[in-house]
Amino acid sequence: MNTKIWLSPPHMSGLEEKYIREAFETNWIAPLGPNVDKFERELSRYLDGHDIAALSSGTAAIHLALILLGVGYEDEVIVSDFTFAATVNPILYQGAVPVFVDSELETWNMDPELLELAIIDRIRNHKKPKAIIVVDIYGMPANMEAILEVSAKYDIPLIEDAAEALGSKYNGRHCGTFGEMGILSFNGNKIITTSGGGALVAGNSELTDKARFLASQAKENELHFEHSQVGYNYRMSNVLAGIGRGQLEVIEDRVAAHRNNRQRYLELLSEIPGLTFQSEPDDRYFSNFWLTSLVISRADNHFNSRSVIRALGADNIDSRPLMKPMHLQPVFKNQPAYLNGNSEYLFNHGLCLPSGSNLSDQDIERIAGGVRSARGIK
Ligand SMILES: Cc1ncc(COP(=O)(O)O)c(C=O)c1O
């Protein structure tokens, strides 16, 4: 059996161990400490001075962002339909209602025109949505100009779910820094990892200070434990922040490697007709291409996204269908949705290819060879 190729495995730089060792040597084995403070500062520098609260996961960051915007019971939150369930679950934690908005085909992210139609309809028939969560799927920035315009026009705050998009940019500005707040994930499969972790990004420290407070059980500044609101245990561990510091030093190499993977796939698969790769629509967009993703638009019974996934799997290669849209998930099936068929089309016809920054040239040739032979090309 050939060696296993994973979809998006962690890729350590070797620099992480120094910071972890420091944590052990100084006994800062806690969800606070120098690595957490420095990781926040270093990430803030990378994100052009935006404030950072380092947290236990991206999901926790979304949850806190919703709380900070005052989202509560029966409030409505507009959210991308084409995403991972972690974007949506925190809306339910708050007893609020997700309202799904489908994708445009240019970026595969939230369609700004459909967003406006959804808002108009919610306001006319129900009530004004309390927040919008827009996702940068697979690292591709959403159409921020248009989305921000709608958010401003209706005065509804925006949360940018950039869990997959650290290192991506729109109009030269970092993903994660758009809207009222942004969130990042450092889960093991992401462009950089802390094994598990996330961050809340905001333009001012008022929000991140409040997030740190809520993430530390909302402990008031007293000698005894005093609590006047509900808190959470959502801070990042000082050991894991050490991993993050070592990872952050190589972020630009990682982005370059992911972009290079996609370029190699484009070259090696160019002979196959009817493959549409997720692509930057114009030069405003710069994607980290976290996962190389494509749609097989000329599919048949023998060559389609699922047959390719099975063929790669038979050679010990991990690949995955594109996101199953939220409105099709049994857990969310009764929630309101504004649809145009695009996310369903992407799900039915697309797949993500292995995209780790530690893939070798031979690995990519083996994977592309697997796709080509599934098509019957040697
Ligand atoms: C789009 C998106 N949002 C949110 C999350 C949640 O991040 P985490 O796994 O760090 O909780 C993820 C990844 O897992 C994601 O891909």
Side-chain angles (χ1 to χ4, degrees), residues 158-197:
L158 184 75
I159 299 169
E160 184 190 7
D161 177 349
E164 303 176 357
L166 183 61
S168 300
K169 292 182 176 175
Y170 179 87
N171 263 343
R173 181 168 165 181
H174 274 284
C175 283
T177 69
F178 290 90
E180 212 76 15
M181 281 171 271
I183 75 96
L184 301 168
S185 168
F186 309 114
N187 195 15
N189 60 349
K190 295 300 188 293
I191 193 118
I192 64 166
T193 182
T194 58
S195 100

Side-chain angles (χ1 to χ4, degrees), residues 137-173:
I137 203 74
Y138 304 131
M140 179 65 68
N143 181 348
M144 284 303 172
E145 224 163 282
I147 301 269
L148 283 168
E149 205 177 295
V150 177
S151 150
K153 182 169 170 189
Y154 294 90
D155 194 23
I156 304 173
L158 184 75
I159 299 169
E160 184 190 7
D161 177 349
E164 303 176 357
L166 183 61
S168 300
K169 292 182 176 175
Y170 179 87
N171 263 343
R173 181 168 165 181

Side-chain angles (χ1 to χ4, degrees), residues 19-46:
Y19 299 115
I20 296 172
R21 213 167 29 247
E22 270 174 30
F24 275 72
E25 283 165 4
T26 54
N27 206 28
W28 278 107
I29 315 293
L32 80 170
N35 276 335
V36 175
D37 297 344
K38 287 177 186 162
F39 182 55
E40 287 180 344
R41 279 206 294 276
E42 287 154 6
L43 190 55
S44 167
R45 203 172 310 134
Y46 181 69

Side-chain angles (χ1 to χ4, degrees), residues 56-62 82-88 135-138 161-164 183-190 196-199 290 323:
S56 55
S57 70
T59 311
I62 297 170
F82 189 64
T83 187
F84 183 55
T87 312
V88 182
V135 178
D136 304 315
I137 203 74
Y138 304 131
D161 177 349
E164 303 176 357
I183 75 96
L184 301 168
S185 168
F186 309 114
N187 195 15
N189 60 349
K190 295 300 188 293
W290 170 57
M323 295 292 180

